[in-house]
């Protein structure tokens, strides 16, 4: 990993905050210029939060089996993705590979960091295109210079917006083909029957797995994303991230939900059942042409006229995601599985859709 890091990161003298300088337990803390008063109760809101999310990471280890020394908690996965760009990719020089149609954030963070994006599209049925990948990687190795290299490759599994996960042996194959940092974004892992890429990390130390509490764990509001990687990579990320990147209330609420996980388990079961019901019901609706197999909490649905249907639904107060402009997603809407009332409202509205939008 060291040889892939940017020099400025490899040589960084990290910011040393008060919470890092003194690690023991004391009675009087006059080291961080905090206010001694807590105006909003007795929850230590006047104190800076734990920069390393120690208690939360212990729970992530116990409840989700994410090994303590192999995790960094971020302000959502988004922060982790941005950190990876800033750790490895030299602006204006290095590049990354993404596999469209995929999560839009990879490209946005590449653009923000002035990092070139190479697209190796999935196949039309949303499988990994190994022929194209092998060909591209061969070419990249030939053209690589000291000043320009492909540093990272993003796989989203289950993939957003297509919904499908990739079998573990295929992820393993990508790891063995690519000599940079392979990132497997498992935001929708809980909804999928496929095995996690975590088991490959021993064999591939440059494999980074991303998880989040935003989806199955229903904490999108708290902003808790998790990077699972080698101890070495985690130590570097911990040294370059914003020191207090995860607010105290978010650490506390995440801990609470992890410790009382049974409602989440029950919720997962009901989302999977609702997904199945939605697939069946949607298929009966005339404007629906195809539903792509989903290993996540949403369905990618091909309809006769996605833009007209999107507008019609919106006019009726129902918002879905129009993905028509994404690669191989012509006339596709991405529909999140909601609660019973929400799902039924969507189905009723789609049944009433006559192929043209009201007025517009
Ligand atoms: C929703 C989602 C995330 C979660 O991002 P957070 O910043 O953790 O909320 C990550 N990756 C993908 C592919 C997603 O769809």
């Amino acid at each position: 990993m060291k040889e892939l890091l940017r020099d400025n990161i490899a040589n960084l003298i990290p910011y040393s905050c008060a919470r890092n300088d003194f690690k023991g337990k004391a009675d009087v803390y006059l080291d961080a210029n905090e206010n001694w008063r807590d105006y909003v109760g007795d929850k230590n809101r006047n104190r800076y939060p734990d920069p390393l999310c120690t208690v939360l990471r212990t729970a992530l280890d116990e409840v989700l089996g994410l090994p303590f020394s192999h995790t960094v908690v971020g302000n959502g996965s988004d922060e982790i993705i941005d950190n990876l760009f800033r750790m490895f990719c030299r602006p204006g020089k290095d590049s990354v590979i993404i596999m469209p149609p995929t999560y839009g954030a990879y490209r946005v963070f590449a653009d923000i960091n002035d990092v070139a994006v190479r697209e190796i599209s999935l196949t039309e049925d949303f499988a990994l295109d190994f022929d194209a990948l092998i060909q591209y990687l061969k070419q990249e190795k030939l053209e690589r210079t000291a000043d320009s290299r492909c540093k990272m490759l993003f796989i989203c599994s289950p993939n957003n917006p297509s919904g499908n996960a990739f079998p573990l042996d295929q992820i393993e194959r990508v790891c063995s083909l690519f000599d940079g940092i392979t990132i497997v974004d498992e935001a929708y892992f809980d909804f999928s029957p496929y095995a996690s890429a975590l088991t490959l990390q021993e064999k591939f130390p440059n494999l980074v797995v991303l998880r989040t509490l935003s989806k199955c764990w229903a904490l999108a509001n708290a902003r808790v994303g998790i990077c699972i990687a080698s101890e070495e990579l985690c130590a570097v990320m911990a040294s370059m991230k914003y020191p207090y990147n995860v607010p105290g209330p978010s650490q506390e609420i995440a801990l609470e939900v992890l410790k009382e996980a049974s409602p989440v388990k029950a919720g997962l079961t009901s989302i999977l059942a609702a997904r199945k019901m939605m697939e069946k019901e949607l298929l009966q609706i005339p404007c629906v042409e195809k539903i792509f197999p989903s290993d996540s909490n949403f369905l990618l649905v091909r309809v006769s006229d996605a833009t007209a249907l999107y507008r019609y639904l919106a006019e009726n107060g129902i918002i879905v995601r129009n993905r028509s402009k994404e690669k191989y997603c012509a006339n596709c809407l991405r529909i999140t599985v909601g609660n019973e009332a929400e799902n039924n409202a969507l189905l009723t509205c789609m049944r009433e859709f006559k192929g043209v939008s009201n007025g517009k």
Side-chain angles (χ1 to χ4, degrees), residues 2-273:
K2 284 251 159 66
E3 113 238 13
L4 294 163
L5 278 176
R6 288 170 64 188
D7 289 341
N8 59 314
I9 298 294
N11 301 325
L12 184 72
I13 299 167
Y15 174 68
S16 176
C17 55
R19 285 292 162 273
N20 283 338
D21 258 8
F22 176 79
K23 291 215 170 68
K25 194 124 193 84
D27 297 322
V28 180
Y29 285 98
L30 300 175
D31 59 345
N33 296 346
E34 296 151 336
N35 196 320
W36 60 271
R37 279 201 169 88
D38 184 354
Y39 292 112
V40 290
D42 56 357
K43 294 193 153 172
N44 279 332
R45 297 298 183 231
N46 54 329
R47 300 292 179 185
Y48 281 100
D50 175 7
L52 299 174
C53 295
T54 312
V55 180
L56 175 55
R57 280 165 57 223
T58 305
L60 289 168
D61 191 332
E62 287 168 7
V63 180
L64 300 183
L66 310 177
F68 183 84
S69 59
H70 290 261
T71 54
V72 177
V73 181
N75 196 284
S77 319
D78 288 348
E79 187 208 339
I80 305 285
I81 295 166
D82 188 46
N83 287 345
L84 289 165
F85 274 103
R86 290 158 59 215
M87 285 165 68
F88 293 107
C89 300
R90 295 164 295 177
K93 294 182 172 175
D94 292 326
S95 61
V96 298
I97 294 173
I98 65 169
M99 299 172 162
T102 194
Y103 187 40
Y106 312 141
R107 174 178 283 285
V108 173
F109 286 116
D111 289 346
I112 290 169
N113 287 287
D114 193 17
V115 171
V117 174
R118 313 285 178 228
E119 295 192 345
I120 314 269
S121 296
L122 300 175
T123 63
E124 212 165 338
D125 52 359
F126 304 129
L128 295 171
D129 186 343
F130 279 100
D131 291 342
L133 180 65
I134 289 166
Q135 196 188 334
Y136 179 76
L137 291 177
K138 206 161 114 190
Q139 192 64 24
E140 194 273 330
K141 261 186 201 159
L142 293 173
E143 291 170 1
R144 185 182 285 178
T145 68
D147 268 332
S148 162
R149 174 165 174 179
C150 182
K151 288 284 183 71
M152 311 199 292
L153 180 157
F154 287 91
I155 306 177
C156 188
S157 180
N159 187 43
N160 179 3
S162 59
N164 59 306
F166 305 109
L168 197 59
D169 61 318
Q170 294 189 12
I171 307 257
E172 178 167 15
R173 191 162 171 221
V174 174
C175 292
S176 50
L177 288 167
F178 182 56
D179 62 358
I181 304 289
T182 301
I183 297 144
V184 180
D185 184 344
E186 296 189 338
Y188 301 96
F189 163 76
D190 308 79
F191 305 102
S192 165
Y194 286 82
S196 167
L198 283 176
T199 53
L200 300 172
Q201 286 185 319
E202 241 176 285
K203 189 165 168 201
F204 301 101
N206 286 342
L207 168 61
V208 175
V209 175
L210 306 183
R211 293 277 183 86
T212 180
L213 300 189
S214 294
K215 305 288 156 61
C216 179
W217 292 85
L219 287 177
N221 188 262
R223 314 304 304 128
V224 178
I226 307 130
C227 164
I228 307 107
S230 69
E231 289 191 29
E232 198 183 20
L233 190 150
C234 287
V236 175
M237 190 180 289
S239 76
M240 59 69 71
K241 69 177 184 64
Y242 286 1
Y244 305 111
N245 59 328
V246 185
S250 294
Q251 296 187 36
E252 288 164 27
I253 201 81
L255 187 68
E256 210 176 291
V257 175
L258 285 166
K259 292 267 151 148
E260 186 40 70
S262 50
V264 177
K265 299 273 147 67
L268 172 60
T269 307
S270 88
I271 288 171
L272 294 179

Side-chain angles (χ1 to χ4, degrees), residues 263-331:
V264 177
K265 299 273 147 67
L268 172 60
T269 307
S270 88
I271 288 171
L272 294 179
R275 183 179 83 196
K276 204 166 166 191
M277 180 281 284
M278 289 297 281
E279 265 177 89
K280 192 168 143 258
E281 293 298 324
L282 283 166
L283 268 178
Q284 311 296 314
I285 298 176
C287 67
V288 171
E289 289 179 358
K290 181 172 175 137
I291 299 170
F292 292 89
S294 174
D295 302 307
S296 39
N297 66 340
F298 58 83
L299 293 168
L300 189 71
V301 182
R302 179 160 285 144
V303 297
S304 47
D305 184 342
T307 301
L309 177 57
Y310 174 84
R311 288 210 191 111
Y312 180 76
L313 290 170
E315 282 159 11
N316 287 279
I318 298 169
I319 311 303
V320 297
R321 202 82 199 270
N322 188 353
R323 299 282 79 183
S324 301
K325 297 214 165 67
E326 303 295 311
K327 185 93 183 173
Y328 299 136
C329 293
N331 277 320

